[in-house]
Amino acid sequence: MKMNLSFFALVFLLFFIHSSSAAKCQTSDRSALLQFKNTFVSDPSCSGSPPMVASWGETDDCCSWDGVECSNQTGNVIGLNLAGGCLYGSIDSNNSLFRLVHLQTLILADNNFNLSPIPSGIGQLSDLRQLDLGNSRFFGPIPSAISRLSKLENLRFSRVNISSAVPDFLANMSSLMSLSLGDCELNGNFPQKIFHLPNLQLLIIPYNPNLSGTFPEFNFNSSLQRIWVEQSSFHGEIPSSIENLKSLTSLKLGNCSFSGTVPDSLGNITGLQELELHLNNFSGRIPSSLERLTEMNRVFLSYNEFSDATLSWVGKQKKLVFLGLSGIRLGGTLMPSLGNLTNIEQLLLGENELTGEIPSWIGNFAMLTDLHLYGNKLTGSIPKSLSQLTNLKHLYLQYNYLNGTVELSMFLKLENLTELHLTANDLAVIDDQVGSQNVTLPKFNLLGLGSCNLTHIPTFLENQNELEVLELGQNNIQGQIPKWMWSMSRESLKVLNLSHNALTGVEEPRDALPWVNLYVLDLSNNKLRESLPILPAICKLSSLVALDLSSNLMSGVLPHCIGNFSSLDIMNFRQNLLHGTVPDSFRIGSKLRFLDFSQNQLEGQVPRSLANCKILEIIDLSDNQFTDGFPYWIGTLPMLRLLILRSNHFHGKIEEPETNTEFPMLRIVDFSYNNFSGNLPLRYITNSKGMETFNTTASTYRNTFVTFSFDYVWALEFFYSTTITIKGNQRDYSRIQEVFTSIDLSSNKFEGEISNVVENLQGLQSLNLSHNMLTGPIPPSMKNMARLESLDLSHNQLSGQIPQQLSQLNFLAIFNVSYNNLSGPIPLGNQFNNVDNSSYIGNVGLCGDPLSKKCGDLKPPSSDSDEGEDEGSFHIGWKTVLIGYGCGMLVGMIGGNFILARKQDWFAKTFKIQMLKSWEDSR
């Protein structure tokens, strides 16, 4: 009997389970779902795939429909997961969805709700535990109705354009375990109290550059496991109480504004696996306590202001997969303890001060995919053990002191190698076996062999069809560009640098260059003579961002297409033999910022269509044969900072400006060696805010950034340089500080007096008005030009005394008033005590030190000092030149658009690289 009862009990139990699991959905829920289905059509971006809800209604039981979950006991719909369901349409607060009052899970991520507001009707779903609207094209703030969801545990709005502050009510949602608001265009201050939510484990709020905030003191009982705030405006210090986050496994604070020291207490969070502090303002030492964090697999500390940084703490991190320590002033050698990192995949130590040789034991890192040692002080040869790294993809060794011969065959085994950069060492690279038909090199995306003592373009490149960047600058490559290059990487090539070689032309001229997606073409500093094959051939390169053909021997005329490029940022034809006129073809909407036609034989007028280039910053037309009046219309360019018209045939008066809005940003002006006449055009220049006093401690240099994207975000940095000629001696300045200002109006026919408006140029550092026909006195008001370092008024007809007030110019280092009609005593004190007598010759009436004529002494000064004096011996000439990328233009490569916008100081050297960042928060 006992056995029979047990049998019947088992049968009853099975029947009960079957009955429960077979519960049908409620009629009201089925109706609501069908109405919800009719809200949508197929998303056009889903390539014709029907929306997930399209099959709803084919059966009566809604619990069997795609994405629908029901309660086994009641049949109520408790879950709706339509992630990536190709839904397209809008949801308002009256939608039938909100009649599903038993919903506990609502996932609508990765759909297209057509920028409709986040519906407040969600607040009616009082049982909701999980709400996921990520990447769903909702728009607008989080509605306050969400605050009614007291049971909510997971809230995810990532990649929804919220465009508002984080609502304070989130700090009262005590059930929250996960909050994900990444890439939501958040602004304002992040509510600190959210950090103290008792159950919060995941706080994911990265990629909100306008979101500010600071860390609180952390509670001992915190449940936080992940804190991700990278690429935001969080700032302040990391409190030492962070050690209270005993459950923390991931801390990502990269590309923010944190400062102070990294607390030693961080080493007490022994379960920490990911630590990202890169691109902040941390200072002091890297705490040695980090060696206790033996569970870490990812450490990213690059680009901070650490002092005395070494690798001494790294050796115990045996689980590390990613180690990023670039740009932190890391010193010392590559320590043997690094050899313990047997799991390392990405080792990024670029742009530091590491010395010594690359150790051969790096060849033991079997999993290594990325090795960045660029921009250090490493010496010795490249170890052959690198050929053992069969998983290696990216090898960056550029800008070191490596030497010896490199046989490209050592890389033959590295089938995965796609990026190899050896530029700017003392290497001799030879393609020993690579020309053999039986040898196949890896398919490169990037190949940097600049300054590698090459005498010809490596022939193995003929079979490379995936190149994006080819850097062969600053070698000794001679002869013509071979015809086989026209078949190389036609679709993929983005950057081609053959600058600073001895190329003379092209072996097989073409009507168009074959690289249809080329962004950067740098053929500068060669011996290219034939303009016909090259100049017209650039016209079909519609994607060009930077074009540099400077310092060649190209003759002929400029092609009409030069004004047609829609994306061109930098155009440089400096120092060639080009003649004819500049085509008047520059279009409205041009992106041109840097234009250099200097040192050619161009003539005619300045093309009026340049007025269409509204973001031009640099115009250099010097050393040509332009015959034109003053191009006053250039004054309408709102971003123009540097205008060089030196050594042409410009003529006529420069009339007073009609308004006070011309040249609003001008900082460097050179109109010297022309035939301008009339009064000095000082009112044009004093309009400029660029001539105002700037922070004198600024150390940034005048440059132009060009950006474009393919696999990475690239930045090309062009520095402007200066040559100063004083009494026949030239001094070159390879970079001009951003605060520098200069005016050179010398060697023209300007007349009249120097207006008192000159005193408004309070930020000016150099003023040259020499070799004109100026009359009248030197204005005493020049004393207000407090930053003036160089003043040349020589070879004019100025009269009266040198104002004693000029002795107040404490920075004045160069002063020349020779060959005028000045009289009276020379000012005494300060910088005038260092001016020699050659600066005063040709002024019979001057007296006092350093002249031999004493004041009150009528005896004329000795003429000995005049002998051999060249009237043109003193001249300050400013001209811009372009430093090319790699060996020509400086190229920086990084990941992430935010970094580019917020960290422009990153690009001071070549190839500052951060791996592409991707993130996906927990759902």
Side-chain angles (χ1 to χ4, degrees):
M1 177 65 69
K2 186 177 294 185
M3 291 182 60
N4 289 339
L5 285 174
S6 300
F7 173 79
F8 284 117
L10 178 62
V11 169
F12 178 80
L13 179 61
L14 293 173
F15 176 79
F16 177 80
I17 294 173
H18 175 75
S19 299
S20 299
S21 62
K24 302 291 185 181
C25 76
Q26 297 291 334
T27 302
S28 57
D29 287 353
R30 185 179 187 275
S31 174
L33 288 173
L34 288 176
Q35 291 183 44
F36 178 72
K37 166 188 173 180
N38 294 330
T39 308
F40 304 104
V41 296
S42 180
D43 187 349
S45 65
C46 282
S47 302
S49 298
M52 185 183 294
V53 297
S55 62
W56 286 6
E58 293 179 358
T59 63
D60 290 335
D61 185 7
C62 67
C63 297
S64 65
W65 296 353
D66 289 345
V68 178
E69 178 188 1
C70 294
S71 167
N72 291 332
Q73 285 75 36
T74 65
N76 292 322
V77 174
I78 60 173
L80 197 58
N81 186 347
L82 300 176
C86 295
L87 304 183
Y88 183 82
S90 299
I91 300 178
D92 58 31
S93 293
N94 296 319
N95 194 283
S96 62
L97 170 68
F98 306 118
R99 300 208 303 267
L100 302 174
V101 294
H102 299 287
L103 271 182
Q104 299 177 22
T105 299
L106 177 59
I107 301 176
L108 300 176
D110 303 310
N111 286 288
N112 186 347
F113 296 114
N114 204 24
L115 299 180
S116 59
I118 300 171
S120 60
I122 293 175
Q124 302 172 33
L125 307 176
S126 57
D127 282 342
L128 210 59
R129 268 78 165 173
Q130 182 173 359
L131 175 60
D132 186 351
L133 305 183
N135 195 32
S136 54
R137 287 183 62 79
F138 280 111
F139 179 83
I142 300 173
S144 59
I146 300 290
S147 65
R148 300 199 294 267
L149 304 179
S150 60
K151 300 177 182 179
L152 197 64
E153 297 175 355
N154 300 306
L155 176 59
R156 180 177 182 268
F157 286 167
S158 297
R159 299 187 178 93
V160 171
N161 193 339
I162 293 174
S163 294
S164 66
V166 177
D168 289 331
F169 66 72
L170 292 179
N172 299 321
M173 303 185 73
S174 58
S175 296
L176 266 185
M177 300 173 63
S178 173
L179 177 61
S180 298
L181 300 174
D183 197 8
C184 289
E185 297 293 331
L186 297 173
N187 54 50
N189 288 312
F190 185 79
Q192 255 192 8
K193 291 182 179 180
I194 290 177
F195 286 99
H196 292 152
L197 286 173
N199 295 298
L200 191 64
Q201 298 175 11
L202 308 182
L203 180 58
I204 313 295
I205 51 174
Y207 299 87
N208 289 292
N210 297 315
L211 178 64
S212 183
T214 57
F215 280 172
E217 294 295 329
F218 291 103
N219 297 332
F220 184 77
N221 59 351
S222 174
S223 300
L224 280 168
Q225 297 176 9
R226 298 182 195 170
I227 300 177
W228 294 1
V229 300
E230 66 263 37
Q231 294 199 17
S232 70
S233 293
F234 266 73
H235 56 281
E237 299 188 7
I238 300 176
S240 59
S241 60
I242 197 167
E243 66 180 341
N244 292 333
L245 306 182
K246 301 299 183 183
S247 300
L248 194 67
T249 60
S250 181
L251 181 63
K252 296 186 178 182
L253 314 181
N255 197 15
C256 293
S257 298
F258 287 99
S259 57
T261 59
V262 177
D264 189 72
S265 62
L266 196 61
N268 296 330
I269 310 176
T270 53
L272 196 63
Q273 298 173 13
E274 295 181 308
L275 177 62
E276 296 188 359
L277 306 179
H278 57 284
L279 270 170
N280 278 284
N281 301 308
F282 290 113
S283 57
R285 295 191 175 190
I286 298 174
S288 59
S289 64
L290 295 187
E291 69 179 6
R292 300 199 295 266
L293 304 181
T294 55
E295 297 298 313
M296 285 200 297
N297 57 59
R298 184 177 177 86
V299 175
F300 202 178
L301 307 181
S302 298
Y303 301 104
N304 279 288
E305 300 297 324
F306 295 123
S307 58
D308 302 320
T310 68
L311 293 166
S312 59
W313 56 276
V314 177
K316 295 183 180 179
Q317 316 298 324
K318 298 181 181 180
K319 294 185 179 181
L320 276 180
V321 174
F322 179 100
L323 179 60
L325 301 178
S326 296
I328 60 170
R329 302 173 183 170
L330 192 65
T333 63
L334 294 170
M335 303 171 63
S337 58
L338 278 177
N340 296 330
L341 307 181
T342 53
N343 294 310
I344 197 73
E345 295 179 9
Q346 294 170 298
L347 181 59
L348 314 183
L349 304 177
E351 203 166 350
N352 281 299
E353 298 173 7
L354 294 171
T355 58
E357 298 187 356
I358 301 174
S360 59
W361 46 255
I362 283 185
N364 298 329
F365 292 163
M367 307 299 293
L368 197 64
T369 63
D370 293 77
L371 178 59
H372 294 181
L373 298 175
Y374 62 92
N376 279 285
K377 299 176 181 179
L378 298 172
T379 56
S381 60
I382 297 176
K384 292 186 178 180
S385 61
L386 290 183
S387 63
Q388 300 171 20
L389 301 176
T390 55
N391 290 305
L392 197 63
K393 296 179 180 179
H394 306 145
L395 177 59
Y396 293 101
L397 303 178
Q398 72 273 22
Y399 288 90
N400 277 286
Y401 301 103
L402 301 172
N403 55 50
T405 299
V406 177
E407 299 174 350
L408 284 177
S409 59
M410 72 177 291
F411 302 110
L412 294 180
K413 298 179 182 179
L414 308 182
E415 296 180 357
N416 296 305
L417 190 64
T418 60
E419 298 180 4
L420 173 64
H421 208 335
L422 305 179
T423 293
N425 283 284
D426 191 20
L427 299 169
V429 174
I430 58 174
D431 52 346
D432 50 339
Q433 300 178 33
V434 298
S436 170
Q437 294 182 352
N438 298 323
V439 175
T440 303
L441 273 173
K443 293 293 186 182
F444 290 109
N445 298 133
L446 179 150
L447 184 61
L449 298 179
S451 62
C452 284
N453 293 296
L454 295 172
T455 58
H456 63 277
I457 297 175
T459 55
F460 77 87
L461 292 174
E462 182 175 0
N463 298 316
Q464 294 287 321
N465 56 14
E466 298 177 11
L467 273 171
E468 295 180 345
V469 178
L470 179 58
E471 156 68 81
L472 298 177
Q474 208 157 9
N475 282 289
N476 190 28
I477 300 173
Q478 303 187 23
Q480 296 183 317
I481 300 173
K483 61 182 179 182
W484 56 256
M485 283 197 72
W486 305 140
S487 301
M488 178 197 72
S489 302
R490 286 189 172 191
E491 300 293 329
S492 60
L493 195 65
K494 306 293 194 306
V495 176
L496 176 60
N497 177 14
L498 296 175
S499 67
H500 292 83
N501 281 289
L503 294 167
T504 58
V506 293
E507 189 175 61
E508 184 178 290
R510 298 288 182 94
D511 293 336
L513 296 178
W515 305 292
V516 293
N517 295 309
L518 200 65
Y519 292 168
V520 176
L521 177 62
D522 189 354
L523 302 177
S524 64
N525 291 276
N526 278 284
K527 298 179 181 179
L528 296 171
R529 293 180 178 274
E530 300 88 358
S531 62
L532 184 60
I534 296 176
L535 288 180
I538 66 175
C539 289
K540 294 185 179 180
L541 301 178
S542 58
S543 298
L544 271 184
V545 175
L547 173 65
D548 191 350
L549 302 178
S550 64
S551 300
N552 279 287
L553 301 172
M554 293 184 183
S555 57
V557 298
L558 291 166
H560 191 271
C561 69
I562 63 168
N564 297 338
F565 293 103
S566 60
S567 57
L568 194 64
D569 195 314
I570 291 176
M571 181 188 296
N572 190 2
F573 289 100
R574 177 179 53 86
Q575 197 174 359
N576 277 285
L577 302 172
L578 300 172
H579 62 271
T581 60
V582 178
D584 196 9
S585 59
F586 293 90
R587 294 182 174 181
I588 294 175
S590 169
K591 296 182 179 179
L592 201 62
R593 286 195 291 160
F594 181 105
L595 178 64
D596 192 343
F597 289 139
S598 65
Q599 299 181 54
N600 280 283
Q601 300 169 15
L602 298 170
E603 56 190 25
Q605 295 184 327
V606 181
R608 267 48 178 172
S609 59
L610 277 179
N612 295 328
C613 305
K614 295 299 184 184
I615 61 174
L616 259 175
E617 297 178 17
I618 307 296
I619 299 178
D620 191 345
L621 306 179
S622 62
D623 298 287
N624 278 285
Q625 300 173 20
F626 287 104
T627 305
D628 199 353
F630 179 68
Y632 60 91
W633 43 269
I634 290 181
T636 64
L637 299 178
M639 304 300 294
L640 192 66
R641 297 190 297 176
L642 187 150
L643 177 60
I644 310 292
L645 305 179
R646 183 186 61 247
S647 297
N648 278 283
H649 303 302
F650 290 103
H651 56 84
K653 294 182 178 181
I654 302 179
E655 302 291 347
E656 291 283 312
E658 295 182 1
T659 67
N660 291 324
T661 60
E662 285 87 349
F663 297 109
M665 298 298 294
L666 204 59
R667 293 182 64 75
I668 296 180
V669 177
D670 190 344
F671 298 168
S672 63
Y673 291 93
N674 280 287
N675 292 308
F676 288 122
S677 58
N679 294 326
L680 289 170
L682 292 178
R683 290 196 180 276
Y684 265 112
I685 300 167
T686 53
N687 286 338
S688 175
K689 293 182 179 179
M691 296 294 177
E692 295 177 355
T693 301
F694 279 67
N695 179 8
T696 56
T697 62
S699 59
T700 55
Y701 291 92
R702 186 176 301 282
N703 51 23
T704 293
F705 284 96
V706 180
T707 63
F708 51 89
S709 303
F710 37 106
D711 289 342
Y712 295 89
V713 176
W714 285 68
L716 306 173
E717 184 177 34
F718 294 76
F719 289 104
Y720 315 141
S721 61
T722 276
T723 300
I724 300 178
T725 304
I726 303 175
K727 296 186 177 180
N729 297 316
Q730 288 189 343
R731 181 176 178 182
D732 295 327
Y733 293 85
S734 60
R735 298 182 184 183
I736 307 174
Q737 284 195 331
E738 181 62 33
V739 296
F740 185 77
T741 52
S742 168
I743 297 173
D744 190 343
L745 304 179
S746 65
S747 300
N748 280 283
K749 298 177 180 178
F750 290 118
E751 57 189 16
E753 297 188 1
I754 302 174
S755 169
N756 277 321
V757 298
V758 73
E759 68 177 330
N760 296 328
L761 302 173
Q762 296 182 8
L764 192 66
Q765 290 172 268
S766 177
L767 177 62
N768 189 351
L769 304 179
S770 67
H771 294 86
N772 280 291
M773 297 182 290
L774 300 175
T775 57
I778 299 174
S781 60
M782 276 188 168
K783 69 176 183 179
N784 296 322
M785 301 169 69
R787 293 194 61 209
L788 200 62
E789 299 176 11
S790 175
L791 177 60
D792 188 354
L793 303 176
S794 65
H795 295 274
N796 279 287
Q797 300 170 25
L798 299 172
S799 58
Q801 295 188 356
I802 301 174
Q804 179 66 36
Q805 293 92 330
L806 297 189
S807 63
Q808 300 175 26
L809 299 176
N810 294 326
F811 295 103
L812 194 64
I814 299 171
F815 181 69
N816 193 348
V817 291
S818 61
Y819 298 101
N820 278 285
N821 299 318
L822 298 170
S823 60
I826 293 172
L828 299 175
N830 291 333
Q831 303 300 317
F832 278 87
N833 294 339
N834 301 319
V835 178
D836 62 41
N837 61 355
S838 65
S839 295
Y840 302 111
I841 61 174
N843 293 279
V844 177
L846 285 178
C847 61
D849 291 335
L851 300 179
S852 58
K853 179 183 177 182
K854 305 304 177 184
C855 292
D857 185 354
L858 300 179
K859 181 180 178 181
S862 171
S863 62
D864 293 344
S865 61
D866 292 351
E867 291 186 10
E869 182 69 30
D870 178 5
E871 281 199 356
S873 64
F874 185 95
H875 170 247
I876 301 177
W878 305 97
K879 71 177 182 180
T880 59
V881 297
L882 180 64
I883 299 176
Y885 82 92
C887 299
M889 294 179 244
L890 290 178
V891 181
M893 183 170 70
I894 62 164
N897 287 297
F898 293 102
I899 296 174
L900 188 59
R902 292 164 46 87
K903 298 285 183 179
Q904 289 192 345
D905 54 307
W906 259 36
F907 303 116
K909 290 189 180 179
T910 296
F911 278 118
K912 292 187 175 178
I913 304 166
Q914 176 192 341
M915 302 312 299
L916 271 179
K917 289 193 289 188
S918 61
W919 64 279
E920 187 55 52
D921 45 10
S922 176
R923 291 183 177 177

